[in-house]
Amino acid sequence: MDLYLGQMKDIILGQDFLTWLWYKSDVTGGLFEDKGETFELHMEQRVSVQGGEGDTLETATVSGATSELREARLGLRTGKKVNRAQIRIEKDAEAWSFTLKAEDFSIGSLRTPTVETKLEEGDDPDAPFLEKMFLLEKCLSHLDAVYAKFLDLRFGTGWGEEVQAFRTWLSKNE
């Protein structure tokens, strides 16, 4: 199946974003900001990298609870880019985890902090639903903030410096 130009750009931009996100979360200790709030974002122990195209397309998926994802990093050194990653966002005692795909920015397996569903007399019956929606919006807001930061860099004048810093980071992790 041939991809139309829009899909090609989405895949490239999505792969650049996830690859940058891995690098940036590693060098910043995972600290990002959203509307003045600091939160942590980390790549969890499951990353897929992809390189080539057509008949030469290669994908490597690496996972492990205590893995440093060496094979995925090796893939980056050979020109592959992250095409799928498991991501964890933490803010105070709350944590979200999900899988993000580069090709269409789709989110899968989203887990939010636990919402108390047991109601006591006088509680609003819609409260658990509204709390869950609030937590979903909060997660998406944090992800949007990180993506906006990436787009500012990617289409700004500092992208060349960022790529050089990425290459330095990658060479240090050999």
Side-chain angles (χ1 to χ4, degrees), residues 56-157:
T56 63
L57 185 68
E58 294 179 336
T59 303
T61 301
V62 181
S63 64
T66 59
S67 170
E68 294 181 17
L69 307 171
R70 286 191 184 107
E71 288 187 37
R73 288 179 193 264
L74 179 62
L76 292 181
R77 284 187 213 109
T78 61
K80 291 181 175 75
K81 293 184 177 181
V82 179
N83 72 326
R84 183 182 297 205
Q86 188 171 354
I87 295 172
R88 181 177 180 88
I89 294 176
E90 295 177 356
K91 170 70 179 152
D92 300 324
E94 298 176 325
W96 297 260
S97 69
F98 55 91
T99 302
L100 185 61
K101 287 183 181 177
E103 65 192 46
D104 57 6
F105 294 93
S106 63
I107 293 174
S109 305
L110 175 60
R111 290 182 183 212
T112 65
T114 303
V115 173
E116 180 63 49
T117 56
K118 191 174 182 179
L119 297 174
E120 295 182 14
E121 190 171 322
D123 286 348
D124 181 355
D126 295 333
F129 172 77
L130 295 173
E131 176 72 15
K132 190 74 164 183
M133 292 300 106
F134 170 77
L135 291 170
L136 289 171
E137 287 180 12
K138 195 169 182 179
C139 177
L140 295 176
S141 175
H142 290 340
L143 184 60
D144 285 348
V146 173
Y147 188 61
K149 181 175 180 160
F150 164 75
L151 290 177
D152 284 346
L153 269 170
R154 181 68 180 89
F155 295 108
T157 57

Side-chain angles (χ1 to χ4, degrees), residues 2-12:
D2 293 331
L3 300 175
Y4 65 87
L5 185 58
Q7 286 179 313
M8 291 284 291
K9 287 183 178 178
D10 288 346
I11 291 171
I12 293 168

